């Protein structure tokens, strides 16, 4: 029989992580939309302005562009991994673990990458409250996703 004691913890973390990943993806989508609407405008001669960067974001600092892109990817992959984790929580057997664990580990890796860029953005300063919210969520998600991975590995028997 599988370790049923960790199932409520894994379920709670799954719901929490899903909600937080959706919020991160939503804020990242807003930041990307804001950048597209208020970024560089290419002139009629199709000449790029001086110091053009494809990841230019008019808010934040030099790390904001990379941070938003990787946070958006981490948010979408994390939400998808949480949806995939529902199958494992419902079955809670060893046979359903590999798909849930592999998607959770990939989401955690992308979250750690985005968290590293969040730390760089914090170090450089000069960002707005939405970016600060996304930074905080990614730092929290890096821990809760890891605890979720540990919890779903609580399935110790091969039933």
């Amino acid at each position: 029989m599988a370790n049923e004691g960790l199932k409520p913890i894994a379920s709670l973390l799954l719901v929490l992580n899903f909600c937080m990943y959706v919020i991160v993806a939503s804020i990242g989508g807003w930041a990307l939309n804001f950048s597209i609407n208020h970024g560089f405008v290419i002139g009629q001669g199709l000449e790029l302005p001086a110091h053009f960067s494809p990841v230019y974001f008019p808010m934040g600092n030099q790390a904001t562009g990379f941070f938003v892109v990787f946070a958006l990817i981490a948010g979408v992959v994390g939400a998808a991994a949480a949806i995939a984790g529902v199958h494992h929580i419902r079955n809670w057997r060893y046979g359903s673990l590999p798909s849930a664990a592999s998607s959770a580990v990939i989401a955690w890796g992308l979250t750690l990458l985005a968290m590293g860029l969040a730390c760089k953005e914090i170090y450089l300063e000069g960002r707005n409250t939405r970016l600060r919210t996304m930074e905080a969520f990614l730092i929290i998600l890096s821990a809760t996703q890891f605890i979720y991975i540990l919890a779903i590995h609580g399935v110790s028997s091969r039933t």
Side-chain angles (χ1 to χ4, degrees):
M1 188 59 66
N3 186 354
E4 291 288 329
L6 292 175
K7 189 175 180 179
I9 296 169
S11 300
L12 175 69
L13 288 170
L14 183 69
V15 171
L16 175 70
N17 288 349
F18 176 75
C19 293
M20 290 179 72
Y21 275 124
V22 167
I23 292 169
V24 165
S26 299
I27 296 172
W30 165 84
L32 187 64
N33 185 47
F34 185 85
S35 174
I36 290 169
N37 290 339
H38 297 93
F40 287 122
V41 177
I42 299 175
Q44 289 187 2
L46 296 178
E47 296 177 16
L48 294 175
H51 308 293
F52 176 76
S53 172
V55 290
Y56 169 75
F57 278 70
M59 76 289 214
N61 53 40
Q62 297 88 348
T64 301
F66 296 104
F67 167 65
V68 168
V69 169
F70 283 104
L72 189 56
I73 293 169
V76 171
V77 172
I83 292 170
V86 170
H87 174 69
H88 175 63
I89 296 295
R90 288 181 67 210
N91 291 333
W92 200 253
R93 2 180 283 267
Y94 185 78
S96 64
L97 176 64
S99 62
S102 62
S103 61
V105 168
I106 290 170
W108 182 55
L110 289 169
T111 303
L112 289 177
L113 180 61
M115 186 203 65
L117 290 165
C119 292
K120 181 65 174 180
E121 189 176 47
I122 291 168
Y123 176 75
L124 293 175
E125 298 179 351
R127 62 234 189 264
N128 65 19
T129 55
R130 290 181 183 158
L131 293 176
R132 288 180 184 184
T133 303
M134 196 161 57
E135 293 163 0
F137 274 47
L138 282 166
I139 291 169
I140 294 167
L141 274 167
S142 66
T144 58
Q145 185 72 10
F146 179 67
I147 296 169
Y148 167 73
I149 291 169
L150 294 177
I152 64 171
H153 277 85
V155 180
S156 58
S157 68
R158 297 177 185 265
T159 58

